[in-house]
Amino acid sequence: MSLSCTAFEWYCADAMLVGSMKRTMHLDELIKDWKYDPATLNVRMAKASDGRDVIQMRVDLGLLQLETTGRPDGEKVNGSPSYLEYLQERLLDNPETELDEDECMEVDREFMQFYQRRICWLRLQYFSRAVIDADHTLLLMDVAERVSPDEEWTRSHEQYRPFVLFHRTQAAALGALEQDESGEEAVQAINTGLDAIREFFVRHEADEHYDEDELVVRLVDLRETLRSEYEVGQTLREKLTKAVEQEQYELAAKLRDELNRRESN
C-alpha cells in the first residue's frame, strides 16, 4: 500500500524528530560535569536559553530545574499564577468550594514544588525568597483547610506547619542579619517565629510538648547564639512585653511608639 504525498511527508518529519530526540534529548554532559554529593543539597543558579535565571538541583537520579518566579514548574493553573491563587478566586465565587480527589493531588503537587524551591533558596542564601515561598505554603495550608474534603487530608498538610514555620523563621532571621548588623532584628524574627509555632501547639492542644520540640529547641539555640555573638540584650518587643506584664503602661506606650516608628521605616 502506498502512502499519499502528504502522509509520507508527515511520516518523514516524525521520523526525523524521533532521530533528533535520540541524538540530543539527554542530560549526559550535565550529569557528568556535576557529580551528585549525597552529603549536601546540590543546588546552583543557571541561565536558561532565553537568559532568565533558573534554579537547578542535582538529585541522585538526574537533575531538576525550577523557575525562580511564579510556580516552580513555570505552569499556570487555569490562567492563575498558582493553584493557591486559583483556589482563592474559586472561593470568591463559591465559598462552599470542596476539592475532589484530583484537585487534592494538584494541591499536593504545589506543596511539594514550593518545598523544593524553598530549600533551594535557603541553600543559595536567598533568604527573602525563602520567606516568600514559605508564606505561600502557609497560606496554601490555610486555603486547603477551607476546601478540604476530609480532616485526614487536612492533617496530612497541617502536620508540617511547624516545619514550614521553622524554615521561614530561619530565613527571616538570617535575612535580618544582612540588613541589620546589630542582631536585634534577627533575634526578634526568631521570637516571632517561635510565637507562631507555639500558636500551632496550643491550637492542637499539644502545648505541653512545645518546649521539647526539636524545631523549637534549634530555634532557641540559634537565638541565644545570636544574642551572644552580637551582644543583643532584650529586643524592643521583649521590653514592651515585659513593661505590659509589669503594668508599666507609660513605658509600654513609649516602647510601642518607638517600635511603630522602626517598622514604618
Side-chain angles (χ1 to χ4, degrees):
M1 181 178 66
S2 62
L3 295 171
S4 69
C5 181
T6 302
F8 181 71
E9 288 173 352
W10 276 108
Y11 172 79
C12 291
D14 287 345
M16 291 174 63
L17 176 61
V18 170
S20 175
M21 290 171 63
K22 287 181 179 179
R23 289 194 301 272
T24 63
M25 296 189 68
H26 60 77
L27 302 175
D28 290 355
E29 294 301 320
L30 284 172
I31 292 174
K32 182 179 69 175
D33 294 338
W34 189 12
K35 297 298 183 183
Y36 173 68
D37 180 1
T40 188
L41 186 62
N42 302 257
V43 180
R44 68 187 181 189
M45 294 289 287
K47 290 289 185 183
S49 58
D50 61 359
R52 75 186 189 281
D53 289 326
V54 293
I55 302 171
Q56 292 181 340
M57 179 192 297
R58 181 72 164 90
V59 294
D60 192 11
L61 297 178
L63 189 70
L64 300 180
Q65 182 163 293
L66 298 81
E67 297 295 329
T68 59
T69 58
R71 262 173 63 116
D73 63 0
E75 298 294 325
K76 290 187 179 296
V77 181
N78 294 330
S80 296
S82 68
Y83 215 86
L84 168 62
E85 288 154 295
Y86 165 66
L87 288 177
Q88 289 174 319
E89 292 172 3
R90 280 183 60 181
L91 281 169
L92 287 175
D93 295 333
N94 179 17
E96 303 303 318
T97 296
E98 183 176 293
L99 301 184
D100 60 27
E101 183 176 353
D102 290 340
E103 291 170 329
C104 287
M105 289 179 63
E106 287 302 314
V107 172
D108 291 341
R109 283 185 62 214
E110 185 151 304
F111 274 124
M112 181 55 66
Q113 287 186 23
F114 274 82
Y115 163 72
Q116 297 280 13
R117 191 167 69 186
R118 185 174 74 244
I119 61 176
C120 288
W121 288 135
L122 287 168
R123 182 69 178 86
L124 293 167
Q125 298 183 18
Y126 282 69
F127 299 121
S128 62
R129 295 291 191 94
V131 169
I132 291 171
D133 278 0
D135 285 341
H136 181 101
T137 298
L138 292 168
L139 186 53
L140 183 57
M141 286 180 173
D142 294 338
V143 172
E145 184 175 5
R146 286 187 58 185
V147 297
S148 174
D150 58 69
E151 291 186 5
E152 183 178 353
W153 186 75
T154 301
R155 286 195 298 270
S156 71
H157 304 121
E158 190 66 14
Q159 65 179 325
Y160 295 109
R161 186 178 290 270
F163 183 59
V164 181
L165 287 168
F166 172 75
H167 277 168
R168 190 198 187 283
T169 304
Q170 277 189 319
L174 295 173
L177 279 179
E178 294 179 339
Q179 304 296 323
D180 171 29
E181 296 182 358
S182 72
E184 180 175 340
E185 292 301 320
V187 169
Q188 184 53 54
I190 295 175
N191 284 337
T192 301
L194 288 169
D195 288 343
I197 296 175
R198 184 187 293 277
E199 288 177 10
F200 170 86
F201 277 83
V202 171
R203 186 168 67 250
H204 292 278
E205 300 180 349
D207 46 310
E208 69 274 13
H209 301 299
Y210 170 80
D211 290 328
E212 63 193 35
D213 181 78
E214 179 184 355
L215 300 178
V216 171
V217 171
R218 289 173 63 181
L219 287 176
V220 170
D221 286 346
L222 175 60
R223 182 187 64 189
E224 298 313 309
T225 297
L226 293 176
R227 281 195 199 276
S228 176
E229 284 190 18
Y230 292 88
E231 299 180 349
V232 178
Q234 283 188 319
T235 67
L236 203 58
R237 283 189 181 276
E238 289 171 335
K239 291 176 182 177
L240 174 59
T241 299
K242 185 177 180 180
V244 172
E245 289 174 349
Q246 296 180 350
E247 299 183 358
Q248 297 176 314
Y249 299 121
E250 185 177 348
L251 174 59
K254 292 179 180 179
L255 292 170
R256 187 176 294 109
D257 289 343
E258 174 62 17
L259 186 61
N260 290 335
R261 185 188 65 78
R262 287 192 189 182
E263 291 180 347
S264 66
N265 289 337

